[in-house]
Structures are given as structure tokens and as C-alpha cells.
Amino acid sequence: EVAAGMNRAKKYVFSRNLKKADWTNTTVLNGDPAAEISKLKRADGPGLTVLGSGSIVKQLAAAGLIDDYQLMVCPVILGSGRTLFDGNPGRPILKLANSRAFNNGKVFLHYTA
């Protein structure tokens, strides 16, 4: 069911190398992520979701283009790593919209910017 929904959804992929994507309903974007997303946000259509790219999120956050953050916190002790906003001037002021704790120890956090 989830895979079918992903296949039906319109998708955008940022790539420096790809010219076209084989996945159904996928558009490859080769330009500056902030400029491309700004253009998409001005167009009619559903909201956009970023999945799995910390570097894209970092660029969009720096440009003030993220309205909503949904984070899943998985309790793993790594000892080091990168922060989501590392290197960005200033940090967004986030307001907790809701949260949910799961029995496995994970926590879902939904913030609005």
C-alpha cells in the first residue's frame, strides 16, 4: 500500500548527474535546490515533502523555505555526527505542533517554523 502511494505520487529528485529518472512520476532537477523549491512552492499543487536528504534540508532551511518539520527520533547513541542545522546562519524558531511516543522508544516530533 505504501509503495503504491509512492509510485502514484509526483516526485522530484535533485541530481548533478541524472538527466531523467525511470521511476514513475519523477522529475529530475539539476538546478539550485533553494531556487527550484521556491519555484515549486509558488505553483499550485499539494505541499512538498523532503525524504532522506540532510544536505537538501540544510539548504532549504538556510533559505527559509521549510514551513514544517516532522522528525522521528530513534534512540541510538553514536558519539558524534552532524546536526541538522550545522553551518546555517541563525536557526529557525520552531514551535512543537504535536508529538507521539512509541512503545519501541522512538518519538515522532512535528514542529512548525
Side-chain angles (χ1 to χ4, degrees):
E1 188 176 316
V2 172
M6 288 291 289
N7 287 330
R8 283 190 306 272
K10 190 167 192 169
K11 296 166 284 296
Y12 300 95
V13 174
F14 286 98
S15 176
R16 293 184 183 106
N17 303 318
L18 287 177
K19 299 301 175 205
K20 68 175 200 125
D22 295 332
W23 195 4
T24 306
N25 298 322
T26 301
T27 301
V28 176
L29 301 173
N30 302 107
D32 171 60
E36 296 282 0
I37 293 299
S38 182
K39 201 181 324 176
L40 289 169
K41 284 184 72 165
R42 288 191 304 270
D44 289 334
L48 302 167
T49 300
V50 177
L51 299 174
S53 178
S55 65
I56 297 291
V57 169
K58 182 177 174 178
Q59 293 172 63
L60 300 179
L65 292 170
I66 299 180
D67 305 313
D68 193 89
Y69 291 87
Q70 296 183 23
L71 307 170
M72 183 65 76
V73 178
C74 303
V76 176
I77 298 172
L78 299 175
S80 66
R82 298 183 312 213
T83 68
L84 186 58
F85 303 104
D86 187 38
N88 280 346
R91 299 190 190 263
I93 297 171
L94 302 177
K95 180 180 178 187
L96 183 64
N98 64 37
S99 63
R100 181 174 174 199
F102 296 91
N103 291 335
N104 63 3
K106 295 179 182 178
V107 179
F108 170 77
L109 302 167
H110 174 199
Y111 292 97
T112 55

